[in-house]
Amino acid sequence: MKNINVPVGISNFEKIRQDGYYYVDKTGLIKDMLKNKIPEVTLITRPRRFGKTLAMSMLASFFDIRRDSKKLFQGLNISKEQQLCNDWMNQYPTLFLSFKDVDGTIFENALGLLQFTIAELCKKHTYLIESDGVDQDDKETFRKLKSMGSNLPELQGSIIMLMNMMKAYYNKPVILLIDEYDVPIAKASSNGYYKEMLEVMKAMLSTALKDNEALKFAVVTGCLKIAKESVFTGTNNFVSDTISSERYNEYYGFTQKDVDQILQDAQIEEKASDIKEWYDGYRFGEFDVYCPWDVMNYLWDLTNNQNAKPVSYWKNTSDNAIIRSFIDYSGAAIKKKLEILISGGSIRQQIEENLTYDYLHSSEENLWSILYLTGYLTNASEQDTDGTIELKIPNKEIKEIFETTVKKWFEDNAKTIDRKELFDAVWTGNADILTKEIGTLLRMTISYHDYKEDFYHAFLAGIFAGAGYVVESNKEHGEGRSDIVIYDDYEGKVAIFEAKKSQNPEEMKLDCEKAIKQINEKMYANEFEDAYDEILCYGISFFKKRCLVKKNRK
């Protein structure tokens, strides 16, 4: 593998270009925006980890009048558009801010972080208070914002005030770039102060975007398209670009052409199928794209270990709680649909792109919409019919997240069910009751249409682990590896389960006998004979949602 400088976790365009990090050229976005007469306000929504912040940083570097960006863009696609570069590169005052850090468990904490965000923005523009052309009252308010001493109305009007000051200073209208606009509202919704934060953000954004003479144009990015009446009240100059739209989609995420070039540059073409299986599968408009966060993280791992296997990089992000909240809310109503999706199938659903955070969980339709818009599901068909979209899980990474979440949901759910009769049956050797009780739990959980044997192993282990028993799975005993071993050290008992997946119901009894024979021939129980008073051995066979338990007659 050729060692390339992978920019993991770096979303600053200037840093990537100056420090020689590998960059996938997305400057065509600038050309598309300017050639097609950019609207006064453009809202671009994409799932997290798809390069929104890097794209905004690139736009800021290109437009900002305070920078000299010619070297940064040298050799990139936009540099071929000489007239566009002459007319636009570093020609306009540019205000770039992100709301990604505006978070808090209570409103006061989040408001403090919003004040801090504006204060840091002011520090980048202290030159404004040195100008004779800037209004004196605005200068005074600016000083209060900079020192976090402003009142709420001054904070709500901070963006438009900064833009007015910049226009007065440069005698040119201002380009406004707002990244992660919906984070404060999403966090507020999760923590119970939605109305308070919505009021602040609505005033801050509406005043900056509606009838603002200081505005050249604005680009706003976020994860969800919040209903216009909720945030952008009265903003009629508003055009949205979502994952269902036909614009800009090749610039968010990596296209197949991008990935082919990355593999060639890194000399790891043999990893193409793994990367495709794990990180491809998203459909934005007419483009199939890979998640750039995952591709770059895997590339980084490969530079440190050429034998590194693909893993789920999304798994370690807090965003995955959305799947769990989805399952908790809908429960049995969506069980069959989740089973279809996890097994590789697709479902057809109505999708609502205009959402409000306070009503996200108000209907099943909204919940499927969230999973689609946040990247956990994608469009499976070329064309939508009758206003619905065919949805599927995009790749192996997201499938693993679904499976892990569903497994944890079952374990937590099983804890709330009275399983005393089941546990008593284990330790008294009553196979008939075990068949009945395990079958009941099996019908309640979410499983997959391929019903692989490892699903049943995880299902069995989850029943007992969730109740506090010590459980060993696939650990070596005797001359082989038993599937599940359950310990009751207090009573001095051990239960050994060997599980089989049957091909049809008629084979279930025979498979139980095969499982018991395996326990005996492999001597799984031998190592426990000296330490435990009683060893119970069970053969268990599964066929879809049915099970049969037989006890060793020894």
Side-chain angles (χ1 to χ4, degrees), residues 41-48 52 180-183 185-186 194 198 205 220-232 235 238-245 247 351-360 366 369-370 372-374:
V41 180
T42 301
L43 172 64
I44 298 174
T45 58
R46 296 293 185 278
R48 304 202 191 287
K52 298 189 299 294
E180 304 279 16
Y181 88 101
D182 54 342
V183 166
I185 302 166
Y194 174 80
L198 180 64
L205 294 174
V220 183
T221 67
C223 191
L224 294 181
K225 177 186 173 185
I226 303 175
K228 197 163 82 169
E229 63 273 13
S230 203
V231 176
F232 304 107
T235 309
F238 179 96
V239 174
S240 63
D241 184 88
T242 71
I243 58 175
S244 300
S245 304
R247 299 182 306 155
I351 295 298
E352 175 57 62
E353 291 192 347
N354 293 291
L355 296 166
T356 57
Y357 274 96
D358 53 339
Y359 288 103
L360 288 185
N366 277 1
S369 298
I370 298 165
Y372 169 62
L373 295 168
T374 53

Side-chain angles (χ1 to χ4, degrees), residues 532-543:
Y532 290 87
D533 298 330
E534 188 173 2
I535 304 163
L536 299 109
C537 299
Y538 298 98
I540 180 167
S541 61
F542 291 97
F543 176 72

Side-chain angles (χ1 to χ4, degrees), residues 175-239:
I175 293 172
L176 177 62
L177 305 174
I178 300 177
D179 193 33
E180 304 279 16
Y181 88 101
D182 54 342
V183 166
I185 302 166
K187 300 296 184 182
S189 178
S190 300
N191 290 294
Y193 53 90
Y194 174 80
K195 288 184 179 178
E196 295 92 329
M197 183 55 75
L198 180 64
E199 182 179 348
V200 175
M201 296 304 297
K202 180 190 287 189
M204 184 176 279
L205 294 174
S206 293
T207 54
L209 300 174
K210 178 188 175 185
D211 300 328
N212 180 0
E213 294 182 358
L215 178 67
K216 178 68 175 177
F217 64 79
V219 179
V220 183
T221 67
C223 191
L224 294 181
K225 177 186 173 185
I226 303 175
K228 197 163 82 169
E229 63 273 13
S230 203
V231 176
F232 304 107
T233 305
T235 309
N236 299 319
N237 52 351
F238 179 96
V239 174

Side-chain angles (χ1 to χ4, degrees), residues 444-468:
M444 290 176 62
T445 190
I446 299 171
S447 56
Y448 326 142
H449 285 190
D450 53 7
Y451 295 96
K452 292 180 181 176
E453 203 162 277
D454 57 2
F455 161 72
Y456 294 117
H457 293 178
F459 166 76
L460 270 179
I463 292 173
F464 296 97

Side-chain angles (χ1 to χ4, degrees), residues 250-304:
E250 64 190 287
Y251 305 118
Y252 295 93
F254 291 161
T255 64
Q256 187 62 54
K257 182 180 178 182
D258 293 332
V259 172
D260 289 344
Q261 189 63 55
I262 293 168
L263 296 174
Q264 181 181 324
D265 293 341
Q267 297 177 2
I268 52 168
E269 287 94 339
E270 71 278 3
K271 301 292 184 182
S273 60
D274 283 344
I275 292 175
K276 188 173 188 65
E277 182 181 20
W278 275 80
Y279 310 126
D280 189 19
Y282 301 94
R283 187 165 183 83
F284 295 170
E286 294 184 347
F287 282 89
D288 292 315
V289 295
Y290 292 70
C291 176
W293 163 263
D294 292 318
V295 174
M296 285 302 181
N297 270 279
Y298 185 45
L299 202 59
W300 169 258
D301 284 350
L302 287 171
T303 61
N304 296 291

